[in-house]
Short mmCIF file of all heavy atoms in Angstrom, two decimals:
data_model
loop_
_atom_site.label_atom_id
_atom_site.label_comp_id
_atom_site.label_asym_id
_atom_site.label_seq_id
_atom_site.Cartn_x
_atom_site.Cartn_y
_atom_site.Cartn_z
N GLU A 27 -18.07 46.59 27.17
CA GLU A 27 -18.61 47.58 26.23
C GLU A 27 -18.40 49.01 26.71
O GLU A 27 -18.46 49.93 25.89
CB GLU A 27 -20.10 47.33 26.00
CG GLU A 27 -20.38 46.07 25.19
CD GLU A 27 -21.78 46.05 24.62
OE1 GLU A 27 -22.60 46.90 24.97
OE2 GLU A 27 -22.06 45.15 23.79
N GLU A 28 -18.21 49.21 28.00
CA GLU A 28 -18.08 50.56 28.53
C GLU A 28 -16.68 50.79 29.08
O GLU A 28 -16.07 49.88 29.64
CB GLU A 28 -19.13 50.79 29.65
CG GLU A 28 -20.57 50.71 29.18
CD GLU A 28 -20.93 51.77 28.16
OE1 GLU A 28 -20.29 52.86 28.19
OE2 GLU A 28 -21.82 51.54 27.34
N PRO A 29 -16.14 52.01 28.94
CA PRO A 29 -16.76 53.19 28.32
C PRO A 29 -16.67 53.17 26.78
O PRO A 29 -17.23 54.01 26.11
CB PRO A 29 -15.91 54.33 28.88
CG PRO A 29 -14.57 53.71 29.10
CD PRO A 29 -14.83 52.31 29.54
N TYR A 30 -15.96 52.15 26.25
CA TYR A 30 -15.93 51.85 24.81
C TYR A 30 -15.53 50.39 24.70
O TYR A 30 -14.96 49.81 25.63
CB TYR A 30 -14.97 52.78 24.05
CG TYR A 30 -13.59 52.93 24.64
CD1 TYR A 30 -12.59 52.00 24.40
CD2 TYR A 30 -13.28 54.03 25.44
CE1 TYR A 30 -11.32 52.13 24.93
CE2 TYR A 30 -12.01 54.18 25.99
CZ TYR A 30 -11.03 53.23 25.73
OH TYR A 30 -9.77 53.38 26.27
N PRO A 31 -15.85 49.75 23.59
CA PRO A 31 -15.59 48.31 23.49
C PRO A 31 -14.10 47.96 23.63
O PRO A 31 -13.25 48.51 22.92
CB PRO A 31 -16.10 47.95 22.09
CG PRO A 31 -17.11 49.01 21.78
CD PRO A 31 -16.57 50.26 22.40
N HIS A 32 -13.80 47.05 24.58
CA HIS A 32 -12.42 46.63 24.77
C HIS A 32 -12.36 45.22 25.33
O HIS A 32 -13.34 44.69 25.84
CB HIS A 32 -11.65 47.62 25.65
CG HIS A 32 -12.14 47.70 27.08
ND1 HIS A 32 -13.26 48.43 27.44
CD2 HIS A 32 -11.67 47.15 28.22
CE1 HIS A 32 -13.44 48.34 28.75
NE2 HIS A 32 -12.49 47.56 29.25
N VAL A 33 -11.18 44.64 25.24
CA VAL A 33 -10.92 43.27 25.67
C VAL A 33 -9.70 43.26 26.58
O VAL A 33 -8.72 43.96 26.31
CB VAL A 33 -10.64 42.37 24.44
CG1 VAL A 33 -10.12 41.00 24.86
CG2 VAL A 33 -11.89 42.22 23.59
N ILE A 34 -9.78 42.50 27.67
CA ILE A 34 -8.63 42.30 28.56
C ILE A 34 -8.51 40.80 28.82
O ILE A 34 -9.44 40.18 29.31
CB ILE A 34 -8.80 43.03 29.91
CG1 ILE A 34 -9.05 44.54 29.70
CG2 ILE A 34 -7.56 42.81 30.78
CD1 ILE A 34 -9.48 45.25 30.97
N ILE A 35 -7.35 40.23 28.48
CA ILE A 35 -7.11 38.80 28.74
C ILE A 35 -5.76 38.66 29.43
O ILE A 35 -4.71 38.98 28.85
CB ILE A 35 -7.09 37.99 27.43
CG1 ILE A 35 -8.36 38.23 26.60
CG2 ILE A 35 -6.95 36.49 27.74
CD1 ILE A 35 -8.37 37.52 25.26
N GLU A 36 -5.78 38.20 30.66
CA GLU A 36 -4.54 37.90 31.36
C GLU A 36 -4.08 36.49 30.98
O GLU A 36 -4.90 35.62 30.70
CB GLU A 36 -4.74 38.03 32.87
CG GLU A 36 -5.09 39.46 33.29
CD GLU A 36 -5.12 39.64 34.79
OE1 GLU A 36 -4.78 38.68 35.51
OE2 GLU A 36 -5.49 40.74 35.25
N ASP A 37 -2.77 36.29 30.98
CA ASP A 37 -2.20 34.99 30.56
C ASP A 37 -2.79 34.57 29.21
O ASP A 37 -3.28 33.46 29.03
CB ASP A 37 -2.49 33.91 31.61
CG ASP A 37 -1.86 34.25 32.95
OD1 ASP A 37 -0.71 34.73 32.96
OD2 ASP A 37 -2.53 34.07 33.99
N ALA A 38 -2.70 35.49 28.26
CA ALA A 38 -3.37 35.30 26.96
C ALA A 38 -2.81 34.13 26.17
O ALA A 38 -3.55 33.37 25.55
CB ALA A 38 -3.29 36.59 26.15
N LEU A 39 -1.49 33.97 26.16
CA LEU A 39 -0.86 32.90 25.39
C LEU A 39 -0.54 31.71 26.29
O LEU A 39 -0.32 31.89 27.49
CB LEU A 39 0.44 33.41 24.74
CG LEU A 39 0.30 34.49 23.68
CD1 LEU A 39 1.68 35.00 23.28
CD2 LEU A 39 -0.45 33.99 22.46
N PRO A 40 -0.50 30.51 25.73
CA PRO A 40 -0.04 29.36 26.52
C PRO A 40 1.34 29.66 27.12
O PRO A 40 2.20 30.25 26.45
CB PRO A 40 0.03 28.23 25.49
CG PRO A 40 -0.90 28.64 24.40
CD PRO A 40 -0.82 30.13 24.35
N GLU A 41 1.56 29.24 28.35
CA GLU A 41 2.78 29.62 29.07
C GLU A 41 4.05 29.21 28.33
O GLU A 41 5.00 29.99 28.23
CB GLU A 41 2.77 29.00 30.47
CG GLU A 41 3.95 29.43 31.32
CD GLU A 41 3.90 28.85 32.73
OE1 GLU A 41 2.98 28.05 33.00
OE2 GLU A 41 4.78 29.19 33.54
N ASP A 42 4.08 27.98 27.80
CA ASP A 42 5.30 27.53 27.12
C ASP A 42 5.57 28.34 25.86
O ASP A 42 6.72 28.69 25.56
CB ASP A 42 5.23 26.04 26.80
CG ASP A 42 4.06 25.66 25.90
OD1 ASP A 42 3.09 26.45 25.82
OD2 ASP A 42 4.12 24.58 25.27
N TYR A 43 4.52 28.70 25.13
CA TYR A 43 4.67 29.50 23.92
C TYR A 43 5.11 30.92 24.26
O TYR A 43 6.03 31.47 23.64
CB TYR A 43 3.35 29.51 23.15
CG TYR A 43 3.39 30.22 21.81
CD1 TYR A 43 4.36 29.90 20.86
CD2 TYR A 43 2.45 31.19 21.47
CE1 TYR A 43 4.39 30.52 19.62
CE2 TYR A 43 2.47 31.82 20.24
CZ TYR A 43 3.44 31.49 19.32
OH TYR A 43 3.46 32.12 18.10
N TYR A 44 4.48 31.49 25.28
CA TYR A 44 4.88 32.84 25.72
C TYR A 44 6.36 32.85 26.11
O TYR A 44 7.10 33.76 25.73
CB TYR A 44 4.02 33.29 26.91
CG TYR A 44 4.48 34.61 27.48
CD1 TYR A 44 4.04 35.82 26.93
CD2 TYR A 44 5.36 34.66 28.56
CE1 TYR A 44 4.49 37.04 27.44
CE2 TYR A 44 5.82 35.86 29.06
CZ TYR A 44 5.37 37.05 28.50
OH TYR A 44 5.83 38.25 29.00
N ASN A 45 6.80 31.85 26.86
CA ASN A 45 8.19 31.81 27.30
C ASN A 45 9.16 31.67 26.12
O ASN A 45 10.23 32.29 26.11
CB ASN A 45 8.41 30.65 28.28
CG ASN A 45 7.75 30.91 29.62
OD1 ASN A 45 7.53 32.06 30.01
ND2 ASN A 45 7.44 29.85 30.35
N LYS A 46 8.77 30.88 25.12
CA LYS A 46 9.61 30.78 23.92
C LYS A 46 9.75 32.14 23.24
O LYS A 46 10.84 32.53 22.80
CB LYS A 46 8.99 29.78 22.93
CG LYS A 46 9.21 28.33 23.27
CD LYS A 46 8.60 27.45 22.18
CE LYS A 46 8.76 25.98 22.48
NZ LYS A 46 8.17 25.13 21.40
N LEU A 47 8.62 32.85 23.13
CA LEU A 47 8.66 34.17 22.52
C LEU A 47 9.51 35.14 23.34
O LEU A 47 10.38 35.85 22.81
CB LEU A 47 7.24 34.72 22.36
CG LEU A 47 6.34 34.00 21.35
CD1 LEU A 47 4.92 34.54 21.44
CD2 LEU A 47 6.86 34.15 19.92
N TYR A 48 9.25 35.16 24.64
CA TYR A 48 9.99 36.09 25.49
C TYR A 48 11.50 35.82 25.42
O TYR A 48 12.30 36.75 25.29
CB TYR A 48 9.52 36.00 26.95
CG TYR A 48 10.34 36.91 27.83
CD1 TYR A 48 10.08 38.28 27.89
CD2 TYR A 48 11.43 36.40 28.54
CE1 TYR A 48 10.88 39.12 28.64
CE2 TYR A 48 12.24 37.24 29.29
CZ TYR A 48 11.95 38.60 29.35
OH TYR A 48 12.76 39.43 30.08
N ASN A 49 11.87 34.55 25.50
CA ASN A 49 13.29 34.20 25.53
C ASN A 49 14.00 34.45 24.20
O ASN A 49 15.24 34.48 24.15
CB ASN A 49 13.45 32.73 25.94
CG ASN A 49 13.10 32.51 27.40
OD1 ASN A 49 13.28 33.39 28.24
ND2 ASN A 49 12.59 31.32 27.71
N SER A 50 13.23 34.64 23.12
CA SER A 50 13.86 34.93 21.82
C SER A 50 13.58 36.36 21.35
O SER A 50 13.75 36.67 20.16
CB SER A 50 13.39 33.91 20.77
OG SER A 50 11.97 33.92 20.64
N TRP A 51 13.15 37.23 22.28
CA TRP A 51 12.94 38.65 21.95
C TRP A 51 14.26 39.25 21.47
O TRP A 51 15.25 39.26 22.22
CB TRP A 51 12.50 39.41 23.19
CG TRP A 51 11.19 40.11 23.14
CD1 TRP A 51 10.01 39.63 23.60
CD2 TRP A 51 10.91 41.43 22.67
NE1 TRP A 51 9.01 40.56 23.44
CE2 TRP A 51 9.53 41.68 22.87
CE3 TRP A 51 11.68 42.43 22.08
CZ2 TRP A 51 8.91 42.86 22.50
CZ3 TRP A 51 11.08 43.62 21.72
CH2 TRP A 51 9.71 43.83 21.92
N PRO A 52 14.33 39.78 20.24
CA PRO A 52 15.60 40.31 19.74
C PRO A 52 15.84 41.77 20.18
O PRO A 52 16.01 42.67 19.36
CB PRO A 52 15.43 40.20 18.22
CG PRO A 52 13.96 40.39 18.00
CD PRO A 52 13.27 39.78 19.21
N VAL A 53 15.87 41.99 21.48
CA VAL A 53 15.96 43.36 22.00
C VAL A 53 17.25 44.04 21.56
O VAL A 53 17.24 45.13 20.97
CB VAL A 53 15.85 43.37 23.55
CG1 VAL A 53 16.01 44.80 24.08
CG2 VAL A 53 14.52 42.80 24.00
N LYS A 54 18.39 43.40 21.83
CA LYS A 54 19.68 44.02 21.50
C LYS A 54 19.83 44.21 19.99
O LYS A 54 20.32 45.25 19.53
CB LYS A 54 20.83 43.16 22.02
CG LYS A 54 20.96 43.17 23.54
CD LYS A 54 22.14 42.33 23.99
CE LYS A 54 22.26 42.33 25.51
NZ LYS A 54 23.38 41.47 25.97
N GLU A 55 19.38 43.20 19.23
CA GLU A 55 19.53 43.28 17.76
C GLU A 55 18.70 44.44 17.20
O GLU A 55 19.16 45.16 16.30
CB GLU A 55 19.09 41.96 17.13
CG GLU A 55 19.98 40.77 17.45
CD GLU A 55 19.66 40.10 18.79
OE1 GLU A 55 18.81 40.63 19.55
OE2 GLU A 55 20.25 39.06 19.07
N ILE A 56 17.49 44.62 17.71
CA ILE A 56 16.65 45.72 17.25
C ILE A 56 17.28 47.06 17.61
O ILE A 56 17.38 47.98 16.78
CB ILE A 56 15.22 45.61 17.84
CG1 ILE A 56 14.48 44.42 17.22
CG2 ILE A 56 14.43 46.90 17.63
CD1 ILE A 56 13.14 44.11 17.87
N LYS A 57 17.74 47.18 18.83
CA LYS A 57 18.33 48.45 19.29
C LYS A 57 19.63 48.76 18.55
O LYS A 57 19.95 49.93 18.33
CB LYS A 57 18.55 48.41 20.79
CG LYS A 57 17.26 48.40 21.59
CD LYS A 57 17.48 48.37 23.09
CE LYS A 57 18.04 49.68 23.60
NZ LYS A 57 18.06 49.73 25.07
N ASN A 58 20.36 47.73 18.16
CA ASN A 58 21.62 47.95 17.45
C ASN A 58 21.42 48.23 15.97
O ASN A 58 22.34 48.72 15.30
CB ASN A 58 22.53 46.72 17.59
CG ASN A 58 23.10 46.59 18.99
OD1 ASN A 58 23.16 47.55 19.74
ND2 ASN A 58 23.50 45.38 19.35
N THR A 59 20.23 47.91 15.44
CA THR A 59 20.00 48.00 13.99
C THR A 59 19.07 49.15 13.59
O THR A 59 19.30 49.82 12.57
CB THR A 59 19.39 46.68 13.46
OG1 THR A 59 20.24 45.60 13.84
CG2 THR A 59 19.25 46.70 11.95
N LEU A 60 18.01 49.37 14.37
CA LEU A 60 16.97 50.31 13.97
C LEU A 60 17.14 51.68 14.63
O LEU A 60 17.73 51.79 15.71
CB LEU A 60 15.59 49.73 14.32
CG LEU A 60 15.26 48.39 13.68
CD1 LEU A 60 13.88 47.92 14.11
CD2 LEU A 60 15.34 48.48 12.16
N PRO A 61 16.61 52.73 14.00
CA PRO A 61 16.72 54.08 14.58
C PRO A 61 15.82 54.24 15.80
O PRO A 61 14.76 53.63 15.87
CB PRO A 61 16.26 54.99 13.44
CG PRO A 61 15.36 54.13 12.60
CD PRO A 61 15.94 52.75 12.68
N ILE A 62 16.25 55.06 16.72
CA ILE A 62 15.44 55.36 17.88
C ILE A 62 14.42 56.44 17.51
O ILE A 62 14.71 57.34 16.72
CB ILE A 62 16.32 55.80 19.08
CG1 ILE A 62 15.52 55.78 20.38
CG2 ILE A 62 16.98 57.15 18.81
CD1 ILE A 62 16.40 55.89 21.62
N ILE A 63 13.22 56.34 18.06
CA ILE A 63 12.13 57.28 17.75
C ILE A 63 11.84 58.11 18.99
O ILE A 63 11.59 57.57 20.07
CB ILE A 63 10.85 56.52 17.33
CG1 ILE A 63 11.15 55.60 16.13
CG2 ILE A 63 9.72 57.49 17.00
CD1 ILE A 63 10.05 54.58 15.85
N GLY A 64 11.86 59.43 18.84
CA GLY A 64 11.52 60.32 19.94
C GLY A 64 12.47 60.25 21.11
O GLY A 64 12.12 60.66 22.22
N GLY A 65 13.65 59.69 20.90
CA GLY A 65 14.63 59.62 21.96
C GLY A 65 14.43 58.49 22.95
O GLY A 65 15.21 58.34 23.90
N HIS A 66 13.39 57.64 22.71
CA HIS A 66 13.12 56.60 23.72
C HIS A 66 12.53 55.31 23.18
O HIS A 66 12.43 54.33 23.91
CB HIS A 66 12.16 57.15 24.78
CG HIS A 66 10.96 57.87 24.22
ND1 HIS A 66 9.97 57.23 23.52
CD2 HIS A 66 10.62 59.18 24.24
CE1 HIS A 66 9.06 58.12 23.14
NE2 HIS A 66 9.43 59.31 23.56
N THR A 67 12.10 55.24 21.91
CA THR A 67 11.31 54.10 21.43
C THR A 67 11.91 53.48 20.17
O THR A 67 12.41 54.18 19.29
CB THR A 67 9.85 54.53 21.15
OG1 THR A 67 9.30 55.09 22.34
CG2 THR A 67 9.01 53.35 20.71
N PHE A 68 11.85 52.15 20.08
CA PHE A 68 12.20 51.40 18.88
C PHE A 68 10.98 50.60 18.43
O PHE A 68 10.29 50.00 19.27
CB PHE A 68 13.36 50.43 19.15
CG PHE A 68 14.64 51.08 19.55
CD1 PHE A 68 14.88 51.41 20.88
CD2 PHE A 68 15.61 51.37 18.61
CE1 PHE A 68 16.07 52.00 21.27
CE2 PHE A 68 16.82 51.97 18.98
CZ PHE A 68 17.04 52.30 20.33
N ARG A 69 10.72 50.58 17.12
CA ARG A 69 9.62 49.79 16.57
C ARG A 69 10.15 48.95 15.40
O ARG A 69 10.80 49.48 14.50
CB ARG A 69 8.48 50.69 16.07
CG ARG A 69 7.76 51.43 17.18
CD ARG A 69 6.62 52.28 16.65
NE ARG A 69 6.03 53.08 17.72
CZ ARG A 69 5.04 52.67 18.51
NH1 ARG A 69 4.51 51.48 18.31
NH2 ARG A 69 4.58 53.43 19.48
N TYR A 70 9.82 47.68 15.42
CA TYR A 70 10.22 46.77 14.34
C TYR A 70 8.95 46.21 13.72
O TYR A 70 8.22 45.44 14.34
CB TYR A 70 11.11 45.67 14.91
CG TYR A 70 11.73 44.74 13.89
CD1 TYR A 70 11.97 45.14 12.57
CD2 TYR A 70 12.09 43.45 14.24
CE1 TYR A 70 12.53 44.29 11.65
CE2 TYR A 70 12.66 42.57 13.33
CZ TYR A 70 12.88 43.00 12.04
OH TYR A 70 13.44 42.14 11.10
N MET A 71 8.65 46.61 12.47
CA MET A 71 7.36 46.41 11.84
C MET A 71 7.25 45.07 11.11
O MET A 71 8.23 44.42 10.76
CB MET A 71 7.11 47.53 10.82
CG MET A 71 7.37 48.92 11.34
SD MET A 71 6.20 49.45 12.59
CE MET A 71 6.24 51.23 12.35
N SER A 72 5.98 44.69 10.82
CA SER A 72 5.68 43.40 10.21
C SER A 72 6.37 43.17 8.88
O SER A 72 6.93 42.09 8.65
CB SER A 72 4.17 43.26 9.99
OG SER A 72 3.49 43.15 11.20
N ASN A 73 6.29 44.14 8.00
CA ASN A 73 6.87 43.94 6.68
C ASN A 73 8.37 43.72 6.77
O ASN A 73 8.94 42.91 6.03
CB ASN A 73 6.56 45.14 5.77
CG ASN A 73 6.97 44.89 4.32
OD1 ASN A 73 6.75 43.80 3.79
ND2 ASN A 73 7.55 45.88 3.69
N ASP A 74 9.02 44.42 7.70
CA ASP A 74 10.46 44.23 7.89
C ASP A 74 10.76 42.87 8.51
O ASP A 74 11.76 42.23 8.19
CB ASP A 74 11.01 45.35 8.79
CG ASP A 74 10.96 46.70 8.10
OD1 ASP A 74 11.17 46.75 6.87
OD2 ASP A 74 10.71 47.71 8.77
N VAL A 75 9.88 42.43 9.42
CA VAL A 75 10.08 41.12 10.06
C VAL A 75 9.88 39.99 9.06
O VAL A 75 10.70 39.08 8.95
CB VAL A 75 9.10 40.94 11.24
CG1 VAL A 75 9.15 39.51 11.77
CG2 VAL A 75 9.42 41.93 12.36
N LEU A 76 8.76 40.06 8.30
CA LEU A 76 8.35 38.92 7.47
C LEU A 76 8.97 38.92 6.07
O LEU A 76 9.20 37.85 5.50
CB LEU A 76 6.82 38.91 7.34
CG LEU A 76 6.05 38.70 8.64
CD1 LEU A 76 4.55 38.85 8.40
CD2 LEU A 76 6.36 37.33 9.24
N ASN A 77 9.21 40.09 5.54
CA ASN A 77 9.67 40.16 4.14
C ASN A 77 11.10 40.68 4.00
O ASN A 77 11.94 40.03 3.38
CB ASN A 77 8.70 41.02 3.32
CG ASN A 77 7.30 40.43 3.31
OD1 ASN A 77 7.13 39.21 3.18
ND2 ASN A 77 6.28 41.26 3.46
N LYS A 78 11.39 41.81 4.58
CA LYS A 78 12.74 42.38 4.46
C LYS A 78 13.73 41.66 5.37
O LYS A 78 14.93 41.63 5.07
CB LYS A 78 12.71 43.87 4.76
CG LYS A 78 11.89 44.67 3.76
CD LYS A 78 11.96 46.16 4.08
CE LYS A 78 11.14 46.98 3.09
NZ LYS A 78 11.18 48.43 3.41
N LYS A 79 13.22 41.14 6.49
CA LYS A 79 14.05 40.41 7.47
C LYS A 79 15.25 41.26 7.90
O LYS A 79 16.40 40.79 7.93
CB LYS A 79 14.48 39.06 6.91
CG LYS A 79 13.27 38.18 6.52
CD LYS A 79 13.69 36.79 6.10
CE LYS A 79 12.52 35.97 5.59
NZ LYS A 79 11.50 35.70 6.60
N THR A 80 14.96 42.51 8.24
CA THR A 80 16.00 43.45 8.66
C THR A 80 16.77 42.94 9.87
O THR A 80 17.99 43.05 9.93
CB THR A 80 15.35 44.81 9.01
OG1 THR A 80 14.51 45.21 7.92
CG2 THR A 80 16.39 45.87 9.25
N VAL A 81 16.05 42.40 10.82
CA VAL A 81 16.65 41.73 11.98
C VAL A 81 16.09 40.31 12.01
O VAL A 81 14.88 40.12 12.07
CB VAL A 81 16.30 42.47 13.29
CG1 VAL A 81 16.83 41.68 14.50
CG2 VAL A 81 16.85 43.89 13.29
N PRO A 82 16.93 39.28 11.96
CA PRO A 82 16.42 37.90 12.00
C PRO A 82 15.66 37.62 13.29
O PRO A 82 16.05 38.08 14.36
CB PRO A 82 17.69 37.06 11.90
CG PRO A 82 18.72 37.96 11.30
CD PRO A 82 18.39 39.34 11.79
#
Side-chain angles (χ1 to χ4, degrees):
E27 289 197 351
E28 297 297 333
Y30 49 83
H32 66 280
V33 169
I34 304 169
I35 307 176
E36 297 187 5
D37 299 318
L39 294 173
E41 185 178 4
D42 59 340
Y43 184 52
Y44 174 85
N45 289 336
K46 283 182 181 180
L47 292 172
Y48 177 80
N49 290 329
S50 58
W51 239 96
V53 178
K54 290 181 181 178
E55 293 84 353
I56 290 172
K57 292 180 70 171
N58 288 339
T59 305
L60 301 180
I62 194 167
I63 303 167
H66 47 67
T67 303
F68 297 86
R69 293 182 185 271
Y70 186 27
M71 312 292 208
S72 291
N73 188 42
D74 292 325
V75 171
L76 296 174
N77 299 318
K78 295 183 180 179
K79 302 186 186 296
T80 309
V81 175

